[in-house]
Amino acid sequence: MSGSAITPWVVGNWKMNPMRADAKQLVQELKQLLQDHVIDESQCHIGVAPISLALSNVQAQLSAGNRTVYTVAQDLSRIAGTGAYTGEISAELLKDSGIDFVLVGHSERREIFGDSPAIVNEKVKNAIDAGLTVIYCVGESLEQRENGQAEQTVLQQICDIASVVQADQWERVVVAYEPIWAIGTGKTASPADAQAMHAKIREGLSQITPMGQSMAILYGGSVKPENAVELAACPDINGALVGGASLNAESFYKIAHAFANTK
Ligand code: PEP
């Protein structure tokens, strides 16, 4: 399977947004758009990642729609199972609530909350072992890019999880390449630069697992309707992880539409 034959994913990362009433309206608007202008499930997987507190409500609201929209957790505990761990939500508890997808290693978790590679690995292992699909985020800082270390940084992040993902578990890993300097800044990697990094990631994955050729590699970093078609046209960009633009139903829908129809 070549990169362009992979069904794309478009996932909205709502981060610490929005208020409950706005979340309800956002889901309602998205469902309406998907009902009025259908995007076939075989053309694009769609997901949204609300705050933990809203996972069940959003999932219930989405389940009444005319197509599957996955509900994705933004993070999980590095501790597995259940126990005396105040404030934590384990992979098993997510799974028990019917959540099958989780973001791991987002740069905001790594940079602001101290998720080291060791912690990220624990989270990936717990999630995969509990049966979740992981959207594993990688990406270099501006300094690393300017120092010519972008590729090395990202490939190292890919190699990091190879010790915890078993051979038959790679089908439950989706990679999201998010250059940190492009997140929430309005700056996007040029389609050529993004494609080049995605091709390197695919090469790296393929050295680790034969599934590397069929794994989805999403791009994230100021994706919006205006740049989605160009990004979607790149053979190794199999979708988008969308922050800011996912808080507007129409923008998010347009990005999903661009990937569904360009691929
Ligand atoms: C993100 O945080 O995953 C992201 C890509 O954000 P934005 O689209 O706002 O840059």
Side-chain angles (χ1 to χ4, degrees):
M1 186 183 276
S2 80
S4 49
I6 298 166
T7 304
W9 290 73
V10 172
V11 177
N13 176 11
W14 293 357
K15 310 192 185 191
M16 203 167 73
N17 298 292
M19 291 298 179
R20 191 166 54 153
D22 293 335
K24 196 171 174 191
Q25 191 178 335
L26 177 54
V27 174
Q28 187 50 43
E29 287 173 9
L30 180 60
K31 272 169 56 183
Q32 193 62 52
L33 283 163
L34 289 167
Q35 194 159 313
D36 295 346
H37 317 277
V38 178
I39 297 176
D40 197 83
E41 294 187 29
S42 64
Q43 284 180 290
C44 188
H45 302 295
I46 299 176
V48 294
I51 57 167
S52 317
L53 205 54
L55 284 168
S56 295
N57 279 352
V58 167
Q59 189 176 46
Q61 213 186 333
L62 285 169
S63 69
N66 68 328
R67 61 151 287 160
T68 302
V69 177
Y70 300 114
T71 307
V72 179
Q74 294 180 14
D75 190 33
L76 79 164
S77 180
R78 69 182 182 85
I79 308 284
T82 54
Y85 302 102
T86 305
E88 293 292 282
I89 303 176
S90 69
E92 287 78 4
L93 289 173
L94 287 173
K95 191 75 184 160
D96 187 50
S97 294
I99 301 301
D100 292 321
F101 300 88
V102 63
L103 304 180
V104 183
H106 191 282
S107 59
E108 287 154 15
R109 298 293 325 167
R110 292 182 193 260
E111 292 206 321
I112 305 171
F113 300 100
D115 281 12
S116 63
I119 290 174
V120 170
N121 263 12
E122 288 178 305
K123 291 183 174 186
V124 169
K125 180 172 171 30
N126 291 348
I128 295 276
D129 287 351
L132 297 166
T133 291
V134 167
I135 301 174
Y136 176 60
C137 304
V138 298
E140 81 285 0
S141 65
L142 185 58
E143 194 185 350
Q144 287 164 328
R145 175 152 286 256
E146 285 174 349
N147 291 340
Q149 295 167 334
E151 197 179 303
Q152 178 197 329
T153 303
V154 168
L155 291 179
Q156 182 57 53
Q157 289 168 334
I158 296 292
C159 286
D160 285 346
I161 61 164
S163 60
V164 294
V165 180
Q166 307 301 312
D168 61 344
Q169 294 177 325
W170 284 97
E171 63 186 9
R172 281 188 287 110
V173 179
V174 171
V175 172
Y177 167 58
E178 301 202 302
I180 298 170
W181 48 270
I183 295 181
T185 58
K187 291 181 194 157
T188 321
S190 70
D193 281 352
Q195 164 57 30
M197 184 63 90
H198 281 233
K200 286 285 170 204
I201 293 172
R202 191 171 306 290
E203 204 178 296
L205 286 168
S206 300
Q207 282 169 14
I208 299 169
T209 166
M211 288 179 210
Q213 287 303 312
S214 53
M215 285 173 64
I217 306 171
L218 320 186
Y219 172 78
S222 299
V223 178
K224 37 191 184 285
E226 294 76 20
N227 57 25
V229 172
E230 250 192 320
L231 290 163
C234 299
D236 288 297
I237 299 184
N238 315 113
L241 183 54
V242 186
S246 70
L247 293 170
N248 178 291
E250 200 179 328
S251 298
F252 184 61
Y253 172 85
K254 283 182 177 165
I255 294 168
H257 186 269
F259 275 90
N261 287 283
T262 311
K263 286 295 182 190

